[in-house]
Amino acid sequence: MTATIIDGKAVAARLRAEVAEEVKKMVAEHGVRPGLAAVLVGENPASHTYVRMKRKACDEVGIDSYGYELPENASQEEVEELVRKLNADPKVNGILVQLPLPSHLNEEAILAAIDIEKDVDGFHPINIGRLAMKGREPLFVPATPKGVIYLLEEAGAQFEGANAVVLGRSNIVGMPTALLLVHKNSTVTIVHSRTRDIPSVTREADILVAAVGRPKMVKGDWVKPGAIVIDVGVNRVDDPTAKKGYRLVGDVDFDEVKEVAGALTPVPGGVGPMTIAMLLKNTLRAAQIALAKK
Ligand code: NAP
């Protein structure tokens, strides 16, 4: 069997075009444009790159973006004060605080300071808490997990009663993805670093999501024939033949798994582009919520 390759880039492009269309309508009908504030603390080069990519994507769909940079040694109070200022700013519909924060800062308190109606990253404890509860709906769901579910839907996943296995239990990917799958009525197993005999668990999965940050960990014989496999991992591996000296690979051994799975996302070009598309969708939704309250 050769898996269908799920083209996250194409799906994300379609979503971005839809957001651009909605933004245009909002401007024409209400004279307002969604706005996203990106807060960056410190000098982490990857964080700078991510924020640049997110702001560029906003620009392309007509969302205003505002960048706020604080020094590495910014105090807890300074960051929270900035968040409070953005909460009160009507031009700002969504606030994203780029993670990770420098280690002296209390991430939980900073995320909790964000107005939940502007929490477009979906990391506010109330939004995450609602995701964990039956019958409650968060206002926003974190972008990467939301992108994972969207790609599973695109691939025709039958969630109800399916065995879903999520590799990884981080706050930003693994755990919210597992919770979303529970909402979808899948039977969910979460695998982490203390799990015994991981291949025997993954082999039972109709839906397999890998978010561990270990290059090519998931092998062909870990996968049930016909399973839908979503690879969230982004890992740099040395490659002297590549221009930059490295290339990006996922947590899934693509060449092996494509011979077994029913559908599979590539890296790059799978989940990555979906993350930004979902952030744009969340920001549009925040602007729609603000408009409805006027
Ligand atoms: P993380 O915070 O480091 O969490 C990794 C998780 O994997 C942890 O729960 C850890 O278990 C588990 N784990 C690590 N090694 C393992 C092993 N050998 N066996 C079983 N479980 C293991 O990582 P993350 O932030 O969730 O990111 C995961 C991957 O996704 C990374 O490659 C990251 O670059 C990528 N990512 C991609 C996007 C995107 O947009 N495409 C967005 C975010 C992240 P413990 O909890 O027991 O430590």
Side-chain angles (χ1 to χ4, degrees), residues 248-260:
L248 297 179
V249 300
D251 291 342
V252 172
D253 189 323
F254 185 87
D255 291 332
E256 284 193 15
V257 171
K258 79 175 191 324
E259 300 303 326
V260 186

Side-chain angles (χ1 to χ4, degrees), residues 50 143-145 167-175 190-195 198 210-215 217 222 231-235 249-251 267 270-276:
Y50 289 139
T144 302
L167 297 173
R169 57 174 166 181
S170 72
N171 291 340
I172 61 168
V173 191
M175 190 55 77
I190 300 172
V191 169
H192 47 76
S193 63
R194 318 292 156 85
T195 302
I198 295 174
V212 279
R214 299 274 179 266
M217 181 171 123
W222 290 31
D231 189 355
V232 185
V234 180
N235 308 290
V249 300
D251 291 342
V267 177
V271 176
M274 293 298 290
T275 297
I276 291 190

Side-chain angles (χ1 to χ4, degrees), residues 170-236:
S170 72
N171 291 340
I172 61 168
V173 191
M175 190 55 77
T177 301
L179 293 170
L180 283 168
L181 288 163
V182 172
H183 275 249
K184 290 278 198 186
N185 293 323
S186 297
T187 302
V188 181
T189 306
I190 300 172
V191 169
H192 47 76
S193 63
R194 318 292 156 85
T195 302
R196 291 192 206 115
D197 191 5
I198 295 174
S200 74
V201 179
T202 57
R203 264 182 226 124
E204 297 299 314
D206 305 303
I207 293 169
L208 180 59
V209 180
V212 279
R214 299 274 179 266
K216 298 188 180 187
M217 181 171 123
V218 177
K219 299 294 173 193
D221 63 359
W222 290 31
V223 174
K224 181 175 178 175
I228 305 182
V229 181
I230 305 289
D231 189 355
V232 185
V234 180
N235 308 290
R236 277 185 184 191

Side-chain angles (χ1 to χ4, degrees), residues 36-275:
L36 175 75
V39 177
L40 195 48
V41 187
E43 298 303 329
N44 182 328
S47 293
H48 277 260
T49 304
Y50 289 139
V51 167
R52 210 170 32 246
M53 284 164 64
K54 289 170 186 176
R55 294 194 60 194
K56 183 165 169 270
C58 282
D59 207 35
E60 283 165 7
V61 298
I63 292 177
D64 286 331
S65 79
Y66 311 98
Y68 294 86
E69 292 189 19
L70 292 174
E72 185 78 27
N73 62 358
S75 70
Q76 182 76 20
E77 184 46 34
E78 276 174 288
V79 184
E80 288 188 27
E81 179 54 36
L82 173 59
V83 168
R84 283 194 292 272
K85 192 179 105 188
L86 297 172
N87 284 342
D89 185 342
K91 292 195 307 298
V92 172
N93 300 114
I95 301 170
L96 87 84
V97 176
Q98 186 64 40
L99 303 178
L101 289 167
S103 56
H104 67 280
L105 293 172
N106 179 343
E107 175 188 301
E108 192 183 350
I110 290 168
L111 295 177
I114 297 174
D115 180 339
I116 62 161
E117 294 189 351
K118 298 192 177 190
D119 177 37
V120 288
D121 260 343
F123 296 145
H124 189 290
I126 291 182
N127 277 324
I128 289 287
R130 285 182 182 167
L131 187 60
M133 286 184 209
K134 197 177 164 150
R136 309 266 167 92
E137 287 296 330
L139 278 173
F140 299 101
V141 171
T144 302
K146 191 169 163 165
V148 168
I149 300 295
Y150 200 97
L151 289 181
L152 284 167
E153 284 167 348
E154 281 284 312
Q158 302 295 310
F159 294 95
E160 186 110 4
N163 282 337
V165 173
V166 179
L167 297 173
R169 57 174 166 181
S170 72
N171 291 340
I172 61 168
V173 191
M175 190 55 77
T177 301
L179 293 170
L180 283 168
L181 288 163
V182 172
H183 275 249
K184 290 278 198 186
N185 293 323
S186 297
T187 302
V188 181
T189 306
I190 300 172
V191 169
H192 47 76
S193 63
R194 318 292 156 85
T195 302
R196 291 192 206 115
D197 191 5
I198 295 174
S200 74
V201 179
T202 57
R203 264 182 226 124
E204 297 299 314
D206 305 303
I207 293 169
L208 180 59
V209 180
V212 279
R214 299 274 179 266
K216 298 188 180 187
M217 181 171 123
V218 177
K219 299 294 173 193
D221 63 359
W222 290 31
V223 174
K224 181 175 178 175
I228 305 182
V229 181
I230 305 289
D231 189 355
V232 185
V234 180
N235 308 290
R236 277 185 184 191
V237 292
D238 292 340
D239 181 355
T241 66
K243 216 164 109 192
K244 292 180 176 162
Y246 68 87
R247 68 196 159 86
L248 297 179
V249 300
D251 291 342
V252 172
D253 189 323
F254 185 87
D255 291 332
E256 284 193 15
V257 171
K258 79 175 191 324
E259 300 303 326
V260 186
L264 170 64
T265 57
V267 177
V271 176
M274 293 298 290
T275 297

